[in-house]
Amino acid sequence: MDSLFWTNSNLKHKIRESNRLFYGEYRYCASGGLDYAKLLRGFDRDTLSYRIKMHRSMNRTDFGYFFYSYNHDRNRKAITHQTEKCLYNFLDLVENIQTDYKLVFGWHDFYFYTNDVDSVKDVLCADGVYAKPVVETVITHPAKTIVRKRSDYQYRCYLSNSVLTQSQHDQLTKFFNNHCESTRLSKTFREWLDKDYKYCRDYFFFDYNDAGLPLLLEMIVPGIVKENLKIIIQD
């Protein structure tokens, strides 16, 4: 049924093999481009109207204009009447969706998570939306596991988003230098350790065999461990 639906809808569709759904509950992620989608945050018509008015009233000589343009809208797209109409239509559309969903906005794009394929089609076919491929999660392995074709390690540990002190950063660096032969660090994590940045990201990870290693790490920097996964080898 699913393959026939995607064929008839003319929407591009791809499979994401994983051990869990999006946010632990949603099968589909429908994303698309929509000019000034960020202004829809809050799902309130009065707030949207105010934000559009404020953007249009910005003078190019104002400091606020240059700050806004440089940091959030480097393409400096104008909010045309058509753009405004598309935003209001999109707001009306999502307010009328009866099924459960989660909607995340970027400046000029959005991510719509749901289990309902009909709402996916409605959202991606809305006026002003440039549809990206719909990603469908297919559960292929148990929770708390990760699949690799080959690995010399049994486990993978992901770190949590956290701000470290200089002392914690130094201790973390020393810890992994002392365990360099028994761990494999992701490239971004290794590069981060070699720099003077204090913000640890939740996509940093390391592979290991000693099940007690994350506990030792927690003793050095409490709360640093996000999750531990067992590595499953599959062709």
Side-chain angles (χ1 to χ4, degrees):
M1 187 277 283
D2 285 351
S3 59
L4 182 61
F5 173 86
W6 298 118
T7 300
N8 292 338
S9 69
N10 293 321
L11 293 173
K12 293 183 179 180
H13 168 256
K14 59 183 182 180
I15 296 294
R16 163 185 174 257
E17 296 183 350
S18 181
N19 65 346
R20 57 187 165 187
L21 301 174
F22 294 108
Y23 292 95
E25 58 181 310
Y26 301 112
R27 181 178 175 183
Y28 301 104
C29 173
S31 60
L34 177 63
D35 287 350
Y36 289 96
K38 193 81 167 186
L39 301 184
L40 291 167
R41 271 191 167 184
F43 299 102
D44 181 79
R45 296 182 70 85
D46 291 338
T47 301
L48 174 59
S49 176
Y50 172 78
R51 289 170 178 167
I52 292 174
K53 181 179 179 180
M54 286 298 296
H55 179 84
R56 284 176 171 162
S57 66
M58 283 183 180
N59 189 294
R60 290 177 179 269
T61 62
D62 291 341
F63 172 78
Y65 176 85
F66 285 104
F67 178 83
Y68 179 88
S69 298
Y70 182 78
N71 287 281
H72 304 304
D73 188 18
R74 298 185 183 184
N75 293 327
R76 301 188 183 183
K77 299 179 181 180
I79 297 184
T80 65
H81 291 296
Q82 182 61 31
T83 301
E84 181 178 354
K85 180 181 178 181
C86 290
L87 289 173
Y88 279 110
N89 287 344
F90 192 86
L91 180 59
D92 290 338
L93 172 66
V94 296
E95 284 182 336
N96 288 321
I97 294 177
Q98 301 299 313
T99 58
D100 184 38
Y101 67 88
K102 180 179 179 64
L103 190 53
V104 178
F105 292 111
W107 274 102
H108 298 298
D109 57 9
F110 62 87
Y111 297 86
F112 178 79
Y113 302 92
T114 185
N115 292 312
D116 178 54
V117 291
D118 290 326
S119 60
V120 165
K121 183 177 180 180
D122 291 341
V123 166
L124 292 185
C125 293
D127 291 340
V129 171
Y130 171 76
K132 299 177 184 179
V134 179
V135 180
E136 177 184 359
T137 297
V138 175
I139 304 299
T140 57
H141 48 288
K144 296 296 182 180
T145 65
I146 186 170
V147 174
R148 288 293 175 264
K149 289 185 178 180
R150 62 185 67 85
S151 177
D152 295 326
Y153 302 91
Q154 301 179 59
Y155 309 103
R156 173 166 295 185
C157 176
Y158 279 93
L159 306 184
S160 61
N161 284 325
S162 52
V163 179
L164 276 61
T165 65
Q166 182 63 57
S167 176
Q168 289 175 324
H169 187 278
D170 293 343
Q171 291 182 64
L172 202 62
T173 302
K174 182 179 180 180
F175 176 86
F176 283 103
N177 285 338
N178 290 337
H179 292 85
C180 60
E181 295 184 0
S182 58
T183 60
R184 186 187 74 84
L185 280 59
S186 65
K187 180 181 178 181
T188 52
F189 183 31
R190 169 52 65 189
E191 291 174 347
W192 177 79
L193 284 176
D194 293 336
K195 296 178 181 178
D196 194 31
Y197 298 147
K198 305 300 187 300
Y199 190 74
C200 180
R201 306 305 297 266
D202 62 2
Y203 52 79
F204 294 164
F205 69 85
F206 66 93
D207 295 342
Y208 62 99
N209 287 318
D210 184 353
L213 213 58
L215 181 59
L216 292 176
L217 191 59
E218 276 283 336
M219 295 174 65
I220 297 174
V221 185
I224 192 67
V225 173
K226 177 185 177 183
E227 64 176 342
N228 295 298
L229 306 176
K230 183 177 181 180
I231 298 176
I232 297 176
I233 306 302
Q234 290 182 1
D235 293 332

